């Protein structure tokens, strides 16, 4: 059985839908695992924009990309994901990947928050090409995790079904508020 952790599950769905050589956004860079994955998908003809507000995340991601020979495929941006529309044109992105919460192993007081996360998702929807998709790993818990999850899901519930298809998933038999993988497809 393949790994069923949320990030691996999301990568499999992205891989099944995304075209190689596309243009991608890692909206929450963290330790760079999603950035590396998207750079591999991008190949030599594609590109990746990766966002984080922590310099530590940018430095870890930069190092990981250099080690794997992928640094030329990504632009690492020290800015909040809610500003992604300042770096990409409308309807120019094939995939946007989110991992909400805090930097693994980092300061838990520095985490995504409901207001900016909903703004980022909203702006990201405008950046998606027709046929593009968004992957959201939503973690509950922490100081704002439950509120963030509720706000993101409420926002996604009200977007146009004529333009977007939203699929939520859950780990049904896991305790302690497991993360929720959500996928948005632009029709």
């Amino acid at each position: 059985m393949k790994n069923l952790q949320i990030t691996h599950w999301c990568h499999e769905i992205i891989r099944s839908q995304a075209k190689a050589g596309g243009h991608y956004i890692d909206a929450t860079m963290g330790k760079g695992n999603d950035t590396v994955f998207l750079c591999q998908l991008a190949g030599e003809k594609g590109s990746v924009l990766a966002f984080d507000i922590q310099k530590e995340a940018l430095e870890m991601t930069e190092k990981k990309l250099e080690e794997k020979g992928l640094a030329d495929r990504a632009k690492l941006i020290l800015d909040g994901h809610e500003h992604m529309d300042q770096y990409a044109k409308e309807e120019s992105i094939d995939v946007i990947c989110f991992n909400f919460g805090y930097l693994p192993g980092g300061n838990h007081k520095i985490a995504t928050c409901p207001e900016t996360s909903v703004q980022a998702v909203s702006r990201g929807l405008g950046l998606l090409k027709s046929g593009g998709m968004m992957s959201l790993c939503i973690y509950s818990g922490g100081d704002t995790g439950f509120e963030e999850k509720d706000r993101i899901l409420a926002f996604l519930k009200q977007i146009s079904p004529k333009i977007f298809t939203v699929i939520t998933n859950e780990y049904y038999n896991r305790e302690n508020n497991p993360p929720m993988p959500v996928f948005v497809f632009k029709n």
Side-chain angles (χ1 to χ4, degrees):
M1 173 71 52
K2 287 188 175 186
N3 188 331
L4 295 177
Q5 291 300 106
I6 187 172
T7 52
H8 296 284
W9 174 240
C10 290
H11 286 185
E12 289 302 315
I13 299 298
I14 292 168
R15 191 184 330 275
S16 76
Q17 299 294 310
K19 64 176 187 164
H23 301 285
Y24 311 112
I25 291 178
D26 181 355
T28 49
M29 195 182 320
K31 291 189 170 184
N33 294 321
D34 290 333
T35 306
V36 167
F37 167 72
L38 293 172
C39 284
Q40 291 167 337
L41 273 181
E44 293 180 13
K45 295 183 181 180
S47 65
V48 176
L49 297 174
F51 294 86
D52 210 293
I53 59 168
Q54 296 180 76
K55 188 171 181 163
E56 176 186 5
L58 191 140
E59 290 168 351
M60 283 190 288
T61 300
E62 186 173 51
K63 181 179 179 188
K64 193 171 278 186
L65 290 171
E66 287 173 2
E67 288 171 356
K68 297 192 177 283
L70 299 169
D72 61 331
R73 297 181 189 178
K75 180 177 181 182
L76 307 184
I77 301 166
L78 191 61
D79 198 355
H81 54 196
E82 70 274 19
H83 300 132
M84 70 174 76
D85 60 334
Q86 296 174 17
Y87 300 88
K89 293 181 181 177
E90 202 168 305
E91 298 185 1
S92 67
I93 302 297
D94 295 287
V95 174
I96 300 174
C97 187
F98 285 93
N99 267 299
F100 297 100
Y102 53 83
L103 177 66
N107 182 348
H108 289 208
K109 293 180 180 181
I110 302 172
T112 56
C113 63
E115 296 78 23
T116 56
S117 293
V118 170
Q119 286 176 14
V121 170
S122 177
R123 291 177 181 154
L125 293 175
L127 298 178
L128 287 177
K129 293 178 180 177
S130 179
M133 71 168 291
M134 184 181 286
S135 167
L136 303 95
C137 296
I138 304 174
Y139 297 87
S140 301
D143 293 337
T144 61
F146 291 108
E147 180 187 355
E148 183 175 49
K149 175 183 174 182
D150 292 344
R151 295 267 304 273
I152 291 169
L153 293 175
F155 170 77
L156 292 173
K157 190 169 186 80
Q158 56 85 34
I159 64 175
S160 172
K162 292 179 181 176
I163 302 172
F164 299 99
T165 299
V166 179
I167 299 173
T168 63
N169 303 265
E170 64 180 309
Y171 290 94
Y172 199 64
N173 64 340
R174 290 191 183 172
E175 297 179 359
N176 299 323
N177 305 297
M180 174 182 270
V182 176
F183 304 98
V184 181
F185 301 92
K186 187 167 184 181
N187 305 330

